[in-house]
Amino acid sequence: AVVSTQSTGTQTCDEDPSKVINDHLLRRALKKLKPRKAAGPDGILKEMILMAREPLTPILLDIFTESLKWGKTSTSWQKVKGHIIAKSNKSDYHDPKSFRIISLTSNILKLMEHMILIYLNTELKITAKISTKQFGF
């Protein structure tokens, strides 16, 4: 995909967005959503997306297409909710190394990221440098 910068400083995608954002890839990405995971700051659970997938599909495709076309994502998708979790079997919980941070991001953004990752892996054959578990670009 060719990315150009307009006079406004906005990056746009010159590639046809329908190659990356389409019903087929959305359905594949929906299958990758794991249920019973915490919601991000927007409060949208994966189960909510899965239960409303039919009416949401055209809406999500429109939003994702515009996002890719203009090179921007919703500011609400960019928010992160962090939780500090104690690691098990640590002897000293006064030591910061006894904890880890869980960062929760928007499940809508994760869905779009899954679609892009599927496109990169299947269409562009880019797999070596991107872990299948990496979704926060």
Side-chain angles (χ1 to χ4, degrees), residues 70-131:
W70 293 106
K72 294 186 178 279
T73 58
S74 167
T75 54
S76 66
W77 295 353
Q78 297 169 19
K79 294 179 182 172
V80 177
K81 183 166 56 172
H83 293 277
I84 299 171
I85 309 291
K87 294 178 182 177
S88 60
N89 301 323
K90 294 292 180 179
S91 59
D92 181 10
Y93 285 101
H94 292 92
D95 181 358
K97 292 181 181 178
S98 298
F99 300 88
R100 62 187 176 108
I101 297 176
I102 302 291
S103 297
L104 303 174
T105 58
S106 168
N107 284 312
I108 299 289
L109 180 60
K110 286 180 189 174
L111 184 59
M112 186 172 138
E113 290 171 345
H114 277 294
M115 292 177 70
I116 294 169
L117 185 61
I118 292 168
Y119 175 77
L120 290 173
N121 289 338
T122 59
E123 299 300 319
L124 300 182
K125 308 296 185 215
I126 298 173
T127 58
K129 294 182 181 179
I130 302 174
S131 167

